[in-house]
Amino acid sequence: MMAKVFSLLFVLALCFGAAGGKLEQVSAALPQGAAGGVELALSIGGTMCVWSGILEVMDQSGLTEKVSRLLSPVIRGIFGKAAQDKQARQALSQNMAANLLGLGSAATPAGLRAARRLAQTGGRPDHSAVLRLMVLNSASLQLIPANVAAVRAAAGSVQPFAILPAVWLASLGSVCAALAVSALLERVWRP
C-alpha cells in the first residue's frame, strides 16, 4: 500500500513540476530528498537498535521482573484480572517502560506478547484488556521522547529535548482521555 502512495506522490510531483515549468528543480530535489531520508532513517534506526538492545538486556538480566513488580499496582489498576498472569504482566511492564522512554517501535514486540497473553488469559479472551492495551499504546505516556529527540537532533536541533514539558502534558492528557473514553465505552457496550 505504501508503495502505491509513494508512487502516486512521485507522479504528482512530476506532473505539478512539469505544469509549473519547474521540472528541473523537481529532478534536482529528488536525490537530495532521498539522501535526507536515508540519513534520517539511519539516525533513527541507530537509536532504535540501542534502546531495543537495552530492553533485551533488561529482559535477560531479570530487570524486567523487577520493573514488572514496580509497575504491578498500575498494571493491575488498568488491566484488572487480566494482569494476574505473570507473563502478561511482564510483557505489559516492558511495553509500558518502552513507551515511557518514547520508544514506540521498541515497545511493539512486548505489546504483541502482552496482547497474545491477554487474549489467552483464563481460557477465554479478554477483549477489553487487549483494547485497553491498544488505547494505551496509541496514547503513549512518554517521559523521555527518545525517538522524537533523535529526529530533532538529526534535523540539527541544538536542544532536542526542549520539547519535554509539552510532550509530558500532551501525553498525560491523551492517556487520561483515552482511558476515560475506554472505560465509558466498556460500560456502554458490554459484550
Side-chain angles (χ1 to χ4, degrees):
M1 180 65 182
M2 288 306 293
K4 291 178 184 176
V5 170
F6 284 125
S7 297
L8 177 66
L9 291 174
F10 180 72
V11 169
L12 285 174
L14 287 176
C15 290
F16 283 113
K22 299 184 179 189
L23 192 56
E24 293 161 6
Q25 292 171 335
V26 171
S27 298
L30 185 63
Q32 291 173 347
V38 168
E39 185 179 318
L40 180 63
L42 288 174
S43 66
I44 292 173
T47 303
M48 290 307 304
C49 287
V50 167
W51 285 104
S52 294
I54 289 172
L55 290 174
E56 185 62 30
V57 168
M58 281 176 59
D59 199 30
Q60 296 295 322
S61 69
L63 188 57
T64 302
E65 174 63 30
K66 292 176 183 167
V67 171
S68 174
R69 277 187 255 141
L70 180 70
L71 292 175
S72 191
V74 174
I75 291 171
R76 282 196 178 109
I78 294 172
F79 294 98
K81 293 178 185 177
Q84 291 176 349
D85 180 65
K86 180 181 176 183
Q87 290 179 343
R89 199 170 50 251
Q90 284 181 339
L92 285 167
S93 67
Q94 193 174 30
N95 176 265
M96 290 174 86
N99 277 325
L100 286 171
L101 294 173
L103 305 169
S105 297
T108 301
L112 291 172
R113 279 195 314 273
R116 246 184 254 116
R117 290 303 299 183
L118 290 173
Q120 297 170 356
T121 303
R124 63 178 277 237
D126 187 347
H127 297 295
S128 61
V130 174
L131 289 174
R132 231 172 296 137
L133 173 64
M134 291 172 62
V135 165
L136 280 176
N137 275 306
S138 298
S140 181
L141 179 61
Q142 294 183 15
L143 296 179
I144 303 170
N147 283 347
V148 175
V151 170
R152 287 174 49 88
S157 175
V158 178
Q159 295 180 329
F161 284 100
I163 58 169
L164 283 180
V167 167
W168 293 338
L169 288 173
S171 63
L172 181 63
S174 67
V175 165
C176 290
L179 287 175
V181 169
S182 175
L184 177 69
L185 291 176
E186 280 181 36
R187 291 177 191 258
V188 173
W189 284 298
R190 286 195 175 257

